[in-house]
Amino acid sequence: MSIDVTDAPGRERFEARDSAEQAVAGFMTYQLTGNVIVFTHTEVSPAYEGQGVGSKLARTVMDDSRAKGRTVVPMCPFLAGWLEKHPEYGDITAHGTKRIK
Protein backbone atom coordinates (compact mmCIF):
# COMPACT_ATOMS: atom_id res chain seq x y z
CA MET A 1 0.00 0.00 0.00
CA SER A 2 1.31 3.40 -0.99
CA ILE A 3 -0.24 6.52 0.53
CA ASP A 4 0.14 9.92 -1.11
CA VAL A 5 -0.73 13.07 0.85
CA THR A 6 -1.69 16.25 -0.98
CA ASP A 7 -3.19 19.59 -0.06
CA ALA A 8 -6.75 20.16 -1.27
CA PRO A 9 -7.06 23.90 -0.58
CA GLY A 10 -10.57 24.13 -2.03
CA ARG A 11 -11.69 21.73 0.71
CA GLU A 12 -9.34 23.18 3.35
CA ARG A 13 -7.78 19.82 4.05
CA PHE A 14 -4.87 17.56 3.32
CA GLU A 15 -5.94 14.23 1.86
CA ALA A 16 -4.20 10.88 2.15
CA ARG A 17 -5.00 8.67 -0.84
CA ASP A 18 -4.25 5.03 -1.45
CA SER A 19 -2.43 5.27 -4.78
CA ALA A 20 -3.56 1.80 -5.88
CA GLU A 21 -7.24 2.25 -5.05
CA GLN A 22 -7.44 6.03 -5.55
CA ALA A 23 -9.55 6.07 -2.40
CA VAL A 24 -9.31 8.71 0.31
CA ALA A 25 -7.71 6.88 3.23
CA GLY A 26 -7.89 9.88 5.55
CA PHE A 27 -7.74 13.65 5.81
CA MET A 28 -6.77 16.50 8.11
CA THR A 29 -8.80 19.73 7.97
CA TYR A 30 -7.39 23.18 8.52
CA GLN A 31 -8.09 26.90 8.58
CA LEU A 32 -5.45 29.20 7.15
CA THR A 33 -5.09 32.88 8.06
CA GLY A 34 -1.95 34.58 6.80
CA ASN A 35 0.96 32.45 7.92
CA VAL A 36 -0.97 30.75 10.75
CA ILE A 37 -2.53 27.37 10.03
CA VAL A 38 -4.93 25.79 12.52
CA PHE A 39 -5.39 22.04 12.13
CA THR A 40 -8.85 21.20 13.40
CA HIS A 41 -9.65 17.54 12.72
CA THR A 42 -8.08 14.28 11.54
CA GLU A 43 -10.06 11.37 10.22
CA VAL A 44 -8.84 8.01 8.93
CA SER A 45 -11.17 5.62 7.12
CA PRO A 46 -11.81 2.43 9.11
CA ALA A 47 -10.21 0.28 6.39
CA TYR A 48 -6.92 2.16 6.88
CA GLU A 49 -6.80 2.50 10.67
CA GLY A 50 -3.63 1.25 12.33
CA GLN A 51 -1.59 1.47 9.12
CA GLY A 52 0.21 4.76 9.73
CA VAL A 53 -2.08 6.97 7.65
CA GLY A 54 -2.61 9.48 10.47
CA SER A 55 1.12 9.71 11.14
CA LYS A 56 1.85 10.22 7.44
CA LEU A 57 -0.72 13.02 7.36
CA ALA A 58 0.80 14.61 10.47
CA ARG A 59 4.37 14.51 9.17
CA THR A 60 3.33 15.84 5.75
CA VAL A 61 1.32 18.78 7.13
CA MET A 62 4.12 19.71 9.51
CA ASP A 63 6.81 19.51 6.81
CA ASP A 64 4.61 21.53 4.45
CA SER A 65 4.00 24.15 7.16
CA ARG A 66 7.73 24.42 7.86
CA ALA A 67 8.54 24.78 4.15
CA LYS A 68 5.98 27.58 3.83
CA GLY A 69 7.08 29.43 7.01
CA ARG A 70 3.78 28.86 8.81
CA THR A 71 2.99 28.68 12.50
CA VAL A 72 0.94 25.62 13.40
CA VAL A 73 -1.89 25.67 15.94
CA PRO A 74 -2.75 22.01 16.69
CA MET A 75 -6.39 22.13 17.80
CA CYS A 76 -6.90 18.58 16.56
CA PRO A 77 -6.33 16.12 19.43
CA PHE A 78 -4.62 13.61 17.14
CA LEU A 79 -2.09 16.14 15.82
CA ALA A 80 -1.52 17.60 19.30
CA GLY A 81 -0.75 14.10 20.64
CA TRP A 82 1.49 13.30 17.68
CA LEU A 83 3.45 16.52 18.23
CA GLU A 84 4.11 15.56 21.86
CA LYS A 85 6.12 12.64 20.46
CA HIS A 86 7.86 14.78 17.79
CA PRO A 87 9.53 17.74 19.49
CA GLU A 88 11.47 18.49 16.31
CA TYR A 89 8.47 20.56 15.20
CA GLY A 90 8.35 22.65 18.39
CA ASP A 91 9.87 25.66 16.64
CA ILE A 92 6.84 26.08 14.35
CA THR A 93 4.14 25.02 16.81
CA ALA A 94 2.12 27.55 18.80
CA HIS A 95 2.30 26.67 22.48
CA GLY A 96 -0.11 27.48 25.28
CA THR A 97 -3.22 26.53 23.37
CA LYS A 98 -5.79 24.30 25.04
CA ARG A 99 -6.36 20.89 23.59
CA ILE A 100 -9.88 20.00 22.58
CA LYS A 101 -10.99 16.64 23.92
Side-chain angles (χ1 to χ4, degrees):
M1 174 181 68
S2 177
I3 298 291
D4 299 314
V5 177
T6 56
D7 188 6
R11 296 177 142 184
E12 294 185 305
R13 70 185 198 175
F14 279 80
E15 296 178 341
R17 290 187 176 271
D18 181 333
S19 58
E21 302 291 325
Q22 288 303 306
V24 175
F27 60 87
M28 188 177 296
T29 58
Y30 64 83
Q31 295 176 341
L32 178 63
T33 304
N35 71 339
V36 175
I37 189 162
V38 180
F39 289 101
T40 56
H41 179 70
T42 302
E43 191 169 314
V44 174
S45 298
Y48 294 93
E49 287 179 357
Q51 298 180 47
V53 173
S55 291
K56 182 146 188 175
L57 274 163
R59 187 167 304 281
T60 300
V61 303
M62 294 306 294
D63 288 345
D64 183 77
S65 295
R66 174 170 277 140
K68 293 177 178 169
R70 294 179 173 154
T71 298
V72 172
V73 179
M75 295 301 293
C76 167
F78 174 81
L79 183 60
W82 188 88
L83 285 169
E84 288 176 3
K85 299 173 190 163
H86 295 87
E88 64 270 26
Y89 294 104
D91 61 319
I92 63 167
T93 304
H95 299 282
T97 57
K98 289 186 175 185
R99 287 178 64 178
I100 296 175
K101 297 182 183 196

